[in-house]
Amino acid sequence: AWLRQKFGLRVVRVRHFGQRARVETEPGDVPRLAAALPELRSGLVTWGFVDVEIDPSGYRRPDPLPIVKMEVT
């Protein structure tokens, strides 16, 4: 909720890998969030993260039915 309110994001996800946080948001919001990286980092550090990064590809929903490409012989 803090990320949505503070940065005006509609879609946001924080993936954590131990003490590293990777923030994902809509691709159009990535530049705006990147410009606020120092403020974003200081906020997430208070939650216990040591390293904070923004996924440059943006948020991607997992495909519920992934297409498996197989060669049929």
Side-chain angles (χ1 to χ4, degrees):
W2 173 77
L3 288 170
R4 285 190 188 112
Q5 293 172 353
K6 181 70 178 173
F7 300 103
L9 303 172
R10 194 173 68 84
V11 175
V12 66
R13 178 181 203 155
V14 177
R15 294 184 188 264
H16 62 91
F17 306 92
Q19 293 180 322
R20 182 171 56 108
R22 185 175 70 213
V23 181
E24 300 174 356
T25 189
E26 293 180 308
D29 289 335
V30 169
R32 185 165 47 94
L33 193 58
L37 184 58
E39 187 176 5
L40 172 67
R41 182 174 283 129
S42 68
L44 291 177
V45 163
T46 64
W47 295 352
F49 293 106
V50 174
D51 188 31
V52 176
E53 63 184 44
I54 298 169
D55 187 331
S57 300
Y59 176 74
R60 295 169 306 283
R61 295 185 192 278
D63 188 351
L65 298 172
I67 298 171
V68 177
K69 296 183 180 190
M70 297 185 334
E71 188 174 314
V72 178
T73 57

